[in-house]
Amino acid sequence: MKTISIDKSYGGTQGVYVNRSEACDCDMTFAVFVPPQAAEGKRPVLWYLSGLTCTHANVMDKGEYRRLAAELGLIVVCPDTSPRGDHVPDEPDNWQFGKGAGFYVDATEPPFSANYRMYSYITDELPRLLAAEFPVDMDRQGIFGHSMGGHGAITIALKNPDRFRSCSAFAPISHPSVSGWSKPALRKYLGADENTWRAYDTCSLIEDGHRFPELLVDQGTADSFLEDGLRPDELRQACEAAGIPLRLRMQEGYGHSYFFISTFMDDHLRWHAQRLEN
């Protein structure tokens, strides 16, 4: 692991780091905020997964999480959204696929299967690195994210309910198998057999029996991707049918940007802190 930068913030430290990823076969950048309480012992860890076109830096620069994370004693980890590098296959003119659009899947279709293994990176490789290098209590983990990252957070939580105590999302892609902006990506990463996509689709995972104790989702009513891309009503229906408590808050007049995310960031941090401390 190589340290890119460390800055003091609210008594803690905001660091940016690079590791050579075996899962993605490239250098991966990630950010970690460590609160001041970590000087006294291990702290709960909260994963934030970003959306399409983002890197680790978007939420670090615009998410406004450090003040309250420092107060609550939360370590916040912000990974990148895809593999990077000149050797990584990409579609530079397609913002919904390739670099910046890993969709948190383990691709099975060449040439993308060689690098686009974000599920393994997030659930296996990066946690092992964090446990070795940072004062994290791996028995107290939460996960949240935005848009594509909201999709990643909920699907990862549903498949790993024994690892994560809490899960929330801002404007998640709830049903990517049918969403206009994610269906083409799943086909390229996972192949033409749509049954294989179910392992990375929140609504499908719930239909197939995966469960999580409760979910918090905030969604802006002025989000231009609401109907085709995000489909929160389908998430509501899936959770109701499965008996999963879902707190879906439709936030009047808010869009899809970090103006929306930063407005409700404190609510999500408190949601996770309550479940990670108890």
Side-chain angles (χ1 to χ4, degrees):
M1 185 181 75
K2 178 182 179 181
T3 300
I4 302 301
S5 64
I6 296 181
D7 292 285
K8 189 167 184 178
S9 181
Y10 294 100
T13 57
Q14 177 65 71
V16 178
Y17 310 90
V18 172
N19 75 296
R20 180 67 186 182
S21 169
E22 294 181 3
C24 299
D25 190 25
C26 66
D27 288 344
M28 294 292 289
T29 304
F30 61 98
V32 181
F33 174 74
V34 178
Q37 296 90 332
E40 302 172 2
K42 293 183 177 181
R43 299 303 306 165
V45 57
L46 181 57
W47 297 78
Y48 179 90
L49 305 185
S50 291
L52 288 163
T53 75
C54 291
T55 70
H56 69 283
N58 294 74
V59 67
M60 186 180 73
D61 294 343
K62 298 183 287 188
E64 301 181 20
Y65 59 81
R66 277 176 291 270
R67 178 193 57 79
L68 189 57
E71 178 182 324
L72 298 172
L74 295 173
I75 292 176
V76 181
V77 181
C78 309
D80 202 349
T81 57
S82 77
R84 304 282 177 176
D86 293 341
H87 69 291
V88 175
D90 188 24
E91 293 184 2
D93 297 327
N94 183 0
W95 64 274
Q96 297 172 337
F97 184 77
K99 294 178 186 178
F103 277 90
Y104 303 99
V105 306
D106 277 353
T108 57
E109 296 298 297
F112 309 107
S113 55
N115 303 101
Y116 287 84
R117 300 187 55 80
M118 289 299 295
Y119 180 83
S120 290
Y121 176 70
I122 296 295
T123 63
D124 180 35
E125 186 175 18
L126 191 52
R128 285 189 280 111
L129 181 63
L130 286 172
E133 300 288 345
F134 296 90
V136 292
D137 183 349
M138 300 303 280
D139 291 328
R140 294 188 289 169
Q141 295 187 64
I143 191 166
F144 68 150
H146 169 232
S147 193
M148 179 185 72
H151 138 77
I154 300 176
T155 56
I156 288 171
L158 284 168
K159 291 194 283 186
N160 299 275
D162 295 335
R163 176 180 298 186
F164 296 99
R165 293 191 186 184
S166 57
C167 179
S168 71
F170 302 98
I173 304 174
S174 298
H175 204 174
S177 294
V178 299
S179 171
W181 66 353
S182 50
K183 188 173 181 178
L186 294 184
R187 180 175 290 108
K188 293 173 186 176
Y189 286 136
L190 303 174
D193 182 2
E194 296 187 11
N195 286 324
T196 65
W197 305 359
R198 300 182 70 83
Y200 300 103
D201 183 301
T202 292
C203 290
S204 297
L205 285 167
I206 293 172
E207 290 173 2
D208 292 344
H210 291 267
R211 297 292 182 265
F212 200 77
E214 56 183 339
L215 300 170
L216 168 66
V217 171
D218 275 314
Q219 172 64 64
T221 62
D223 192 320
S224 60
F225 305 112
L226 181 62
E227 297 302 327
D228 179 49
L230 306 174
R231 300 172 179 257
D233 285 341
E234 293 173 33
L235 174 61
R236 187 202 306 272
Q237 292 166 13
C239 287
E240 287 178 351
I244 298 174
L246 168 66
R247 187 178 182 189
L248 175 59
R249 308 192 306 182
M250 301 301 295
Q251 303 292 359
E252 186 65 32
Y254 283 90
H256 197 71
S257 75
Y258 271 91
F259 295 113
F260 159 62
I261 296 166
S262 61
T263 299
F264 300 102
M265 177 63 76
D266 281 7
D267 291 353
H268 285 247
L269 293 176
R270 290 192 176 96
W271 166 276
H272 288 279
Q274 290 171 357
R275 287 148 183 82
L276 296 177
E277 288 293 347
N278 295 330

